[in-house]
Amino acid sequence: MAKPVRAAVGKIWVKCTFCQGDLFRDREVKLNSSGMELMNFSWANESATGLICWNCGYVQLFVNNDLELYKVKKGEG
């Protein structure tokens, strides 16, 4: 199972927009477009970092390269 992370963009800590939680699972998400799929260029589609709220499961997508993920130490959070 994935380990929880906290995330920040610059000095701003990310919170879930639904429940205000601050622990997430992260995964890469492809931002596919139908035109690129039709021409077999899906490999060229942009990707984003998906932050999945550990508490409620709400997904937020970030394409910002300044997004930093921080591991949560055992017993913290």
Side-chain angles (χ1 to χ4, degrees):
M1 182 163 191
K3 306 245 186 221
V5 296
R6 287 196 167 94
V9 177
K11 294 181 180 183
I12 301 171
W13 288 96
V14 177
K15 290 196 176 246
C16 175
T17 58
F18 186 77
C19 74
Q20 297 302 304
D22 66 349
L23 295 178
F24 303 92
R25 302 189 274 133
D26 67 295
R27 68 174 294 168
E28 181 182 2
V29 177
K30 286 288 188 188
L31 303 175
N32 293 352
S33 66
S34 57
M36 295 295 265
E37 292 285 333
L38 283 171
M39 297 184 298
N40 289 325
F41 285 118
S42 58
W43 56 269
N45 279 312
E46 192 171 6
S47 63
T49 300
L51 294 180
I52 305 160
C53 179
W54 200 265
N55 185 47
C56 72
Y58 187 81
V59 179
Q60 298 179 84
L61 297 177
F62 291 84
V63 292
N64 189 324
N65 290 334
D66 296 331
L67 180 71
E68 294 285 337
L69 302 178
Y70 300 90
K71 292 180 183 177
V72 176
K73 295 176 183 159
K74 200 171 196 173
E76 182 184 336

